[in-house]
């Protein structure tokens, strides 16, 4: 494996300044014409070093997607075009050090107006290639993933590998793009990068594909004599198992193939990665990771992530598990599940007694109880923002019956005392007994408080949507407890996936609005039921029994919406039934 010593080990476009400048290009290409670059005050062309770095980054992207950059500068023999052609030649060779050297020479030898000409030419080539790859955010996300899977590898061929996967993800049904991607794979094989591609893509695939997904990808008969069908699946499974011998065996089997078979194997693996990236859930996850969340929330997540990253593993695990257990307690109340609530309380109580755990000096229930109370406060604030003011007495009155019905008997009195403090609180806030609030009774009381708010009649929250949000939080917290990278977490199922599964269940004529804003509460419940299921089970792996169970849940929602929910008949064992007067035998015979 050839290394380009001293080079940046990733796509050059990932670096901060080059990334931001490329974002500006994608936002408004008119700002990157020759005239606009020359006339703009503070333009990048007036800084030779910044220009050099941007030239190298854009030339690398074009080389990644087109095999050669040279045609961009073939129509003129002016000095700027000759230096541009040298830059293109260096980009085509795929060595980052050589490319950056050519870019520095180009920027240093040219005046700002000629730098603008080279940049403007590159802009016309790089912009459509980035769009073909799904946009800059998708390209950057894939670049980071590829770089993480092969740390320290020279980036020229890796940039091409990244672009191929992104282009196939966005254009799998486009024959022209598929042909272009296959040609790029063949070019890399001819350049001696076949083993590098195989090594990299098998790890990229393993980082995103579950075992269930791999099983769904049946080996393909590509029509080549001696083709080792299923080899890429075995390679990915070996990475999953961290089995070095199997990994090497799969690589050796790949190396032993002829050039055409190697090319087809790599293309098949790239298509499998692209198929996974094209899943609606994968797209939603990338959008969320790409900055479409609220900026303040994202900044908070980043800060929390930085803090957690510096903490010991056992502290991170306890934090994540306790947060998840606080949500499980709320979910147990919503599900009217007394046994699960008792199990949650017991797990919090015994967590620190597990073998190998360090002694925990603080109250065991403190964190989980505080997280449940925090959720209750957040729900009250959200209700206020939506125009529904819920007073403390109202919240306590909603929670108290839940405690009586579902909380462990021995904790009910302590929990009710805490709820009584909520009910009688003045404007200055609630004055809890700290020891009680940080005990098991505190967790039980505050989880009931949060669950009760979700059931307030004026809020009109979709029950299954509330359950879905809690399940997402639980999955995310448990993943963070194990330090699972964000890109590997599956906490979202899109509307598109849920509706497709509903069509599979009931046919395409299901009268459910496509636009979520047009749905009634009960229609949100139906979609949320499916999303909850798909978080745990792929659509194709859903058993007939699971389908029947989903059908029952959905029909219960429909009956409730129609006001005809079937209930268990009331117990009449204690009712004395009056017997009718006896009629004559003649009358009885006539009946």
């Amino acid at each position: 494996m050839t290394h380009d010593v001293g080079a940046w080990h990733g796509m050059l476009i990932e670096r901060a300044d080059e990334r931001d400048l490329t974002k500006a290009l994608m936002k408004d290409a008119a700002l990157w014409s020759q005239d606009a670059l020359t006339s703009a005050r503070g333009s990048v062309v007036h800084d030779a070093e910044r220009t050099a770095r941007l030239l190298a980054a854009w030339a690398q992207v074009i080389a990644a997607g087109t095999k050669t950059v040279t045609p961009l500068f073939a129509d003129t023999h002016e000095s700027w075009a000759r230096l541009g052609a040298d830059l293109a030649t260096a980009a085509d060779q795929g060595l980052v050090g050589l490319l950056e050297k050519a870019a520095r020479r180009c920027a240093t030898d040219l005046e700002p107006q000629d730098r603008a000409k080279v940049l403007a030419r590159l802009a016309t080539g790089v912009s459509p290639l980035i769009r073909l790859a799904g946009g800059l955010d998708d390209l950057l996300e894939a670049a980071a993933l590829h770089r993480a899977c092969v740390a320290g590898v020279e980036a020229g061929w890796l940039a091409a590998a990244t672009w191929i996967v992104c282009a196939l993800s966005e254009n799998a049904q486009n024959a022209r793009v598929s042909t272009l991607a296959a040609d790029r794979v063949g070019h890399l094989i001819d350049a001696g990068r076949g083993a590098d591609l195989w090594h990299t893509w098998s790890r990229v695939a393993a980082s995103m594909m579950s075992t269930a997904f791999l099983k769904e990808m049946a080996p393909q008969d590509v029509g080549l004599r001696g083709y080792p069908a299923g080899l890429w699946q075995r390679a990915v499974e070996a990475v999953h198992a961290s089995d070095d011998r199997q990994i090497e065996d799969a690589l050796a089997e790949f190396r032993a193939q002829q050039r055409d078979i190697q090319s087809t194997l790599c293309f098949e693996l790239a298509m499998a990665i692209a198929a996974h990236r094209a899943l609606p859930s994968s797209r939603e996850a990338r959008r969320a990771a790409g900055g479409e969340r609220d900026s303040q929330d994202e900044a908070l997540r980043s800060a929390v992530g930085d803090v957690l990253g510096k903490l010991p593993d056992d502290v991170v695990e306890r934090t994540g598990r306790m947060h998840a257990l606080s949500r499980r307690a709320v979910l147990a109340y919503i599900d009217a599940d007394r046994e699960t609530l008792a199990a949650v309380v017991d797990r919090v109580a015994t967590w620190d007694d597990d073998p190998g755990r360090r002694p925990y000096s603080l109250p065991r229930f403190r964190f989980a109880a505080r997280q449940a109370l925090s959720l209750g406060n957040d729900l009250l604030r959200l209700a206020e923002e939506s125009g529904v003011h819920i007073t403390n007495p109202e919240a306590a009155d909603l929670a108290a019956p839940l405690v009586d019905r579902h909380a462990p008997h021995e904790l009910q009195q302590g929990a009710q005392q805490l709820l009584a403090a909520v009910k009688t609180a003045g404007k200055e806030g609630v004055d809890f007994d700290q020891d009680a609030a940080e005990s098991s009774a505190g967790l039980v009381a505050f989880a009931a408080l949060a669950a009760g708010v979700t059931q307030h009649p004026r809020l009109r929250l979709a029950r299954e949507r509330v359950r879905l949000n809690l399940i997402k939080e639980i999955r995310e917290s448990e993943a963070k407890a194990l330090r699972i990278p964000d890109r590997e977490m599956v906490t979202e199922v899109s509307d598109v996936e849920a509706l497709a599964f509903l069509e599979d269940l009931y046919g395409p004529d299901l009268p459910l609005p496509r636009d979520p804003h047009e749905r009634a509460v009960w229609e949100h419940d139906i979609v949320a039921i499916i999303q909850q299921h798909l978080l745990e089970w792929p659509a194709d792996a859903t058993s007939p029994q699971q389908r029947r169970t989903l059908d029952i849940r959905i029909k219960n929602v429909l009956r409730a919406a129609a006001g005809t929910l079937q209930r268990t008949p009331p117990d009449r064992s204690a009712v004395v039934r009056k017997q009718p007067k006896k009629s004559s035998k003649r009358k009885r015979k006539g009946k």
Side-chain angles (χ1 to χ4, degrees), residues 178-191:
S178 294
T179 301
L180 175 61
D183 180 66
R184 297 297 295 115
V185 170
H187 178 74
L188 291 172
I189 298 287
D190 291 339

Side-chain angles (χ1 to χ4, degrees), residues 507-524:
D509 298 326
L510 186 72
L512 199 66
R514 295 282 165 176
D515 186 347
H517 299 292
E518 297 177 3
R519 291 178 196 150
V521 171
W522 61 271
E523 291 170 324
H524 281 294

